[in-house]
Amino acid sequence: MFRNFLYIIKSMFFFLSGILIKRKYDVVFYYPQHFNRGENKENQLFKHLLLSCDRNSISYVVFEEPDFTIKSIRNSKTTPFDFIYLVVILLRKLFSSEMNTQLKDQKIGSSIAKVFFRQFHFKNFITLSQSMLSVFRGINPSVMLYDLQHGIIHNNKKNYLVNGIAESNLVVNDANLLLCGESYQKILEINEKLDYFKNHTLVIGSNISYKSTIHKEFNKNILITLQFTHDHTVKENAILLKELREFILSIHVDVNFYLKHHPRFNNEVDLSELLKLSNVMIATVDINECLRLCSLHATTYSTSTFEAALLGIPTILLASENEFNYFQNEFDYPLNILIDELDSIEFYQEKSKIIKDWAIAFYFPFNEQKFLNLLK
């Protein structure tokens, strides 16, 4: 709690001083704390964008939204948004409950802009998971709003597209999506009833590297990326746990399983029984280190399937009663392999090339010029 208090004080000083000090930025970057997932506990999803800004003299500030319910590390290189975040939470309780969420946050943004952002000028706002879109639309009605893709997008993806209708948080705020590849763009455009995404999406590529295939053969280490979060019901998480246990116990060859928690895992399930097995252990937080260690990946529907594929690492998709089978139904994942087949080095390398070619359509290399053109 003391650590949170220090961030609140630092944040308060920044925004209170802003009443008198004029600040001007080309871009405001904003993200929730749980996206600090890199080797140095930094936000890897913004890293390539920030480097591009540095190289091209684009001024920016990075705001980090706190999450007081988790223990993930804060990024010391960002500006904590704690003070304004608490003000927003308070005002949400005070404003009329009859307003919809977007209108309420826009009015809150307009109100705090008159005090804390009066001397704060910016032209572009880039966020993750649509965080604070409405608040910043209220702070600056003319700003360009962008939501950077951070996970998989499929037909009927909550917060993007459901039953052919674009998410209201995007539409009401006239926000644009920055996508990783054209295949995602096509999924949105083909499945929507109107033309919102046709005019509000831009493919800028991703920071995922796929220049080299890092494993030449199956090394008996399997990374399992887990999906236990509060987004699922208790029943759904219980089913995922049952299916995970069945998968691990069904493998009779000598392998090691490394279980990687979802970044928003908050003890939704108890894995202690599985961890009693001598070949089951918790993986490191850094996905890149996990993929260097493990030459095979398994999951129900984790985005890491793409990250693994771009490095030539095959994935075993766990069929689920929860109908989370997006990779088979939406993305046409090209492999359906058995662990026994991977004893053949030739077989492994053949499948490695297949899934790498498949993934490239979803994750283009980062196009710096397209990104810079947005900021003009």
Side-chain angles (χ1 to χ4, degrees):
M1 187 62 194
F2 178 70
R3 185 170 65 107
N4 290 331
F5 181 72
L6 291 178
Y7 281 105
I8 293 171
I9 295 299
K10 182 180 178 181
S11 176
M12 185 182 299
F13 177 80
F14 177 87
F15 288 104
L16 290 178
S17 65
I19 297 175
L20 300 174
I21 298 174
K22 186 174 182 178
R23 296 187 173 103
K24 187 175 182 180
Y25 302 101
D26 294 311
V27 193
V28 169
F29 290 94
Y30 186 95
Y31 74 95
Q33 172 186 342
H34 63 257
F35 282 102
N36 290 330
R37 306 171 186 173
E39 293 182 19
N40 300 314
K41 308 304 180 184
E42 61 187 350
N43 178 2
Q44 294 284 69
L45 294 169
F46 277 167
K47 188 174 181 179
H48 60 304
L49 304 184
L50 300 181
L51 289 173
S52 178
C53 288
D54 291 335
R55 284 193 297 266
N56 294 277
S57 300
I58 303 294
S59 60
Y60 63 87
V61 63
V62 184
F63 289 138
E64 183 182 85
E65 177 182 292
D67 188 336
F68 302 121
T69 66
I70 61 176
K71 296 180 179 179
S72 62
I73 303 298
R74 301 293 294 266
N75 187 341
S76 61
K77 295 181 181 180
T78 65
T79 299
F81 201 69
D82 300 49
F83 175 62
I84 299 297
Y85 178 76
L86 292 173
V87 171
V88 170
I89 298 301
L90 174 62
L91 292 178
R92 282 173 178 168
K93 297 180 182 298
L94 298 179
F95 274 59
S96 171
S97 59
E98 296 180 1
M99 296 183 192
N100 65 39
T101 302
Q102 288 81 30
L103 179 58
K104 182 185 291 188
D105 275 5
Q106 286 179 359
K107 287 188 174 295
I108 289 172
S110 178
S111 298
I112 62 177
K114 296 172 184 177
V115 181
F116 303 112
F117 290 85
R118 189 171 56 183
Q119 301 276 16
F120 190 98
H121 306 279
F122 62 109
K123 296 184 291 185
N124 301 278
F125 175 78
I126 301 177
T127 189
L128 289 170
S129 69
Q130 301 177 29
S131 300
M132 292 290 172
L133 277 179
S134 297
V135 170
F136 275 87
R137 172 58 73 208
I139 290 172
N140 185 345
S142 64
V143 72
M144 294 297 296
L145 298 179
Y146 299 101
D147 181 66
L148 180 69
Q149 180 184 351
H150 70 279
I152 60 175
I153 298 176
H154 53 79
N155 184 25
N156 278 332
K157 171 71 171 178
K158 184 181 177 182
N159 296 327
Y160 288 95
L161 180 70
V162 176
N163 296 324
I165 305 299
E167 164 63 32
S168 61
N169 195 37
L170 297 170
V171 177
V172 170
N173 291 302
D174 192 29
N176 304 278
L177 294 182
L178 302 180
L179 301 176
C180 297
E182 286 183 0
S183 290
Y184 284 121
Q185 188 177 47
K186 289 177 182 176
I187 288 173
L188 292 172
E189 292 181 0
I190 290 172
N191 289 289
E192 69 170 328
K193 295 177 181 177
L194 301 177
D195 289 333
Y196 185 80
F197 292 118
K198 189 174 182 179
N199 302 308
H200 288 82
T201 58
L202 182 71
V203 175
I204 64 169
S206 77
N207 64 332
I208 298 177
S209 173
Y210 55 91
K211 293 181 180 179
S212 61
T213 299
I214 59 177
H215 297 287
K216 301 300 181 184
E217 60 183 318
F218 179 41
N219 64 6
K220 308 299 183 182
N221 291 332
I222 303 175
L223 172 67
I224 305 181
T225 48
L226 306 176
Q227 299 298 117
F228 302 121
T229 70
H230 66 271
D231 296 337
H232 300 146
T233 65
V234 172
K235 181 180 179 181
E236 287 173 334
N237 277 325
I239 290 174
L240 288 172
L241 179 59
K242 174 179 73 72
E243 291 164 346
L244 171 65
R245 182 176 182 276
E246 290 174 351
F247 170 69
I248 290 176
L249 295 179
S250 72
I251 307 302
H252 301 297
V253 295
D254 184 21
V255 297
N256 296 311
F257 297 98
Y258 293 86
L259 309 184
K260 186 180 187 305
H261 285 305
H262 190 280
R264 287 183 283 110
F265 175 70
N266 195 22
N267 299 311
E268 281 81 6
V269 300
D270 181 6
L271 297 175
S272 58
E273 288 301 314
L274 285 176
L275 293 173
K276 289 179 182 178
L277 299 173
S278 60
N279 64 336
V280 178
M281 56 214 82
I282 295 296
T284 181
V285 173
D286 181 15
I287 185 63
N288 295 309
E289 186 175 337
C290 291
L291 294 174
R292 285 193 293 268
L293 174 66
C294 302
S295 61
L296 183 64
H297 174 236
T299 190
T300 303
Y301 68 100
S302 171
T303 311
S304 297
T305 300
F306 283 114
E307 295 176 85
L310 289 167
L311 294 170
I313 300 174
T315 292
I316 292 178
L317 295 170
L318 310 182
S320 178
E321 295 176 29
N322 290 321
E323 298 184 353
F324 294 143
N325 304 316
Y326 305 123
F327 280 92
Q328 297 97 326
N329 300 334
E330 299 278 347
F331 306 135
D332 296 321
Y333 190 76
L335 300 185
N336 183 16
I337 58 178
L338 301 174
I339 289 182
D340 292 344
E341 297 174 302
L342 297 174
D343 285 338
S344 165
I345 295 177
E346 291 77 13
F347 180 88
Y348 182 90
Q349 293 180 358
E350 174 191 346
K351 301 308 178 185
S352 176
K353 183 180 185 307
I354 290 173
I355 48 97
K356 191 168 186 175
D357 291 341
W358 163 81
I360 289 173
F362 290 89
Y363 288 87
F364 286 14
F366 174 54
N367 189 320
E368 182 175 78
Q369 193 55 54
K370 276 190 175 182
F371 171 63
L372 294 175
N373 288 342
L374 296 176
L375 309 181
K376 294 181 178 178

